[in-house]
Amino acid sequence: MEITERTHCLILGSGPAGYTAAIYASRANLKPILYQGIQPGGQLTITTEVENYPGYADGIQGPEMMVDFEKQAKRMGADIRYGLATKVDFSSQPFKVEIDEEKWIEADAVIISTGASAKWLGLESEQRLNGFGVSACAVCDGFFFRGKEVAIVGAGDTAAEEALYLSKLCTTVHMIVRRDEMRASKVMQDRVMNTANIKIYWNSETDEVIGEKNVSAVRIKNNQTGEKQEIPVSGFFVAIGHQPNSEIFKDFLDMDEAGYIKTIPGTSKTNVEGVFASGDVQDKVYRQAVTAAGTGCMAALDAERYLSAKGIH
Ligand code: NDP
């Protein structure tokens, strides 16, 4: 392993958490290096309008907001680079991180903000209409379907929560469940079933999302009878889970069974002293841009305190 560089503070990921960590770390004079990962700007770059991030009174497009975050981090002096962390060695200090399978960087502190990725069904029509009625985030996009009919796929707590959220905005929520029962907690299931405008389709799978420019309907198939039916909808929400981007850390960091990095409650500290986690890679509950930014700030402050306690400036 040839070490090509050494830094005090290495930030991995470029969503709201990573950029906020970079802003704070730069202002604390830690001269952070941030690697953006394969999707600079993170999940917000695949959404359209963001209306719930405080400070943007008129709303803003997700990709534009992430350009603003990046500009702000650069203005503070963060060294922002395109590149993906491909391997890590947290077994001893300084920590070692491999970038793009070609070079290794040493860091005194590492902030992980690698996010999570929504799982998709894998249909061509789902991909083609993504952002044009297809969404993986009801809280982000539900507002655009006020007074309309929508469909949602999934039967876990996220799907239940999002179906309930949508039921307050939309006339009817058609919930497509692939088995004859839900995985969601009992209390969430009860809420869904007691909501008059949520209609559940059991044993049903999505055959196709229909629409030229925008979603106009969804065709579902009953996996017991083979019967197909078309439901006219304007929005199609996929809520079949998220995958935290934490695979490369699994030999070193404590995670839950789904791969979310565990942090000490109320902090961004992981089980390895000097390694911090922020944003969706450690949050399966809130998953909002503003909460990710908040934990990015926490990670930079925790890193700063850790480095000064060690006398590293
Ligand atoms: P889960 O993995 O719990 O559920 C995923 C759901 O999607 C399951 O019902 C699954 O069906 C379904 N699904 C998966 N793949 C497909 C597919 N290809 N086609 C159709 N359906 C599919 O993910 P969640 O995001 O719901 O939750 C993740 C974790 O976060 C859970 O532990 C949950 O409890 C937690 N959570 C907690 C919340 C809270 O406490 N407020 C809120 C949200 C999440 P099947 O059941 O058949 O496998």
Side-chain angles (χ1 to χ4, degrees):
M1 173 191 310
E2 195 196 336
I3 307 293
T4 57
E5 214 175 347
R6 171 87 185 251
T7 180
H8 288 330
C9 180
L10 184 63
I11 301 170
L12 306 176
S14 57
Y19 283 140
T20 304
I23 292 165
Y24 274 79
S26 301
R27 295 187 84 245
N29 208 23
L30 299 181
K31 301 186 179 64
I33 294 175
L34 178 150
Y35 277 95
Q36 291 177 310
I38 36 173
Q39 189 180 29
Q43 289 191 83
L44 277 158
T45 58
I46 53 161
T47 61
T48 48
E49 199 164 0
V50 179
E51 291 188 323
N52 52 9
Y53 198 92
Y56 291 105
D58 301 318
I60 184 159
Q61 295 293 311
E64 208 181 320
M65 179 164 125
M66 295 325 294
V67 170
D68 281 353
F69 270 62
E70 183 179 349
K71 270 193 205 155
Q72 192 175 354
K74 274 191 177 147
R75 189 164 72 83
M76 296 302 144
D79 181 350
I80 293 170
R81 304 175 183 179
Y82 186 70
L84 178 71
T86 40
K87 215 181 270 174
V88 298
D89 181 355
F90 292 160
S91 61
S92 61
Q93 296 186 344
F95 306 116
K96 293 162 195 68
V97 177
E98 185 197 55
I99 304 294
D100 293 333
E101 291 179 343
E102 58 187 28
K103 60 176 179 182
W104 286 85
I105 292 189
E106 276 185 340
D108 297 307
V110 176
I111 295 175
I112 300 169
S113 317
T114 46
S117 308
K119 290 185 192 163
W120 298 98
L121 297 171
L123 299 169
E124 181 279 324
S125 50
E126 167 195 55
Q127 212 183 351
R128 181 171 50 82
L129 292 164
N130 197 339
F132 299 92
V134 173
S135 165
C137 179
V139 179
C140 320
D141 299 325
F143 190 70
F144 305 116
F145 301 97
R146 269 171 308 162
K148 297 186 174 157
E149 293 199 26
V150 296
I152 183 164
V153 184
D157 279 326
T158 302
E161 207 167 78
E162 300 212 331
L164 289 164
Y165 181 86
L166 291 168
S167 73
K168 297 190 186 97
L169 299 166
C170 306
T171 49
T172 308
V173 179
H174 302 274
M175 190 167 183
I176 305 161
V177 177
R178 69 175 171 184
R179 290 185 294 136
D180 61 357
E181 59 177 0
M182 287 192 199
R183 182 181 294 273
S185 53
K186 177 82 173 63
V187 55
M188 293 302 282
Q189 289 191 36
D190 288 348
R191 276 188 211 153
V192 165
M193 290 189 209
N194 290 324
T195 302
N197 64 339
I198 300 179
K199 189 172 171 195
I200 303 171
Y201 300 74
W202 302 104
N203 297 311
S204 295
E205 286 169 34
T206 308
D207 204 38
E208 196 173 350
V209 190
I210 297 165
E212 283 293 320
K213 282 200 171 135
N214 293 291
V215 171
S216 59
V218 57
R219 187 168 62 238
I220 62 167
K221 183 180 168 186
N222 185 300
N223 56 27
Q224 306 286 303
T225 63
E227 190 193 329
K228 292 186 181 179
Q229 67 171 301
E230 221 171 277
I231 313 166
V233 290
S234 309
F236 180 77
F237 289 86
V238 180
I240 61 172
H242 282 77
Q243 187 65 47
N245 302 317
S246 61
E247 179 67 20
I248 61 167
F249 311 112
K250 70 176 188 313
D251 291 341
F252 302 96
L253 300 185
D254 289 346
M255 296 177 188
D256 72 6
E257 63 291 343
Y260 287 90
I261 297 174
K262 287 187 182 170
T263 51
I264 297 171
T267 78
S268 66
K269 296 174 187 172
T270 69
N271 58 301
V272 175
E273 220 196 335
V275 176
F276 306 90
S278 60
D280 286 10
V281 75
Q282 54 84 58
D283 173 16
K284 66 179 174 195
V285 178
Y286 301 104
R287 298 184 184 127
Q288 300 301 300
V290 67
T291 49
T295 55
C297 159
M298 288 164 65
L301 294 178
D302 287 341
E304 200 265 327
R305 279 171 203 154
Y306 165 79
L307 292 171
S308 41
K310 290 205 120 202
I312 301 168
H313 300 290

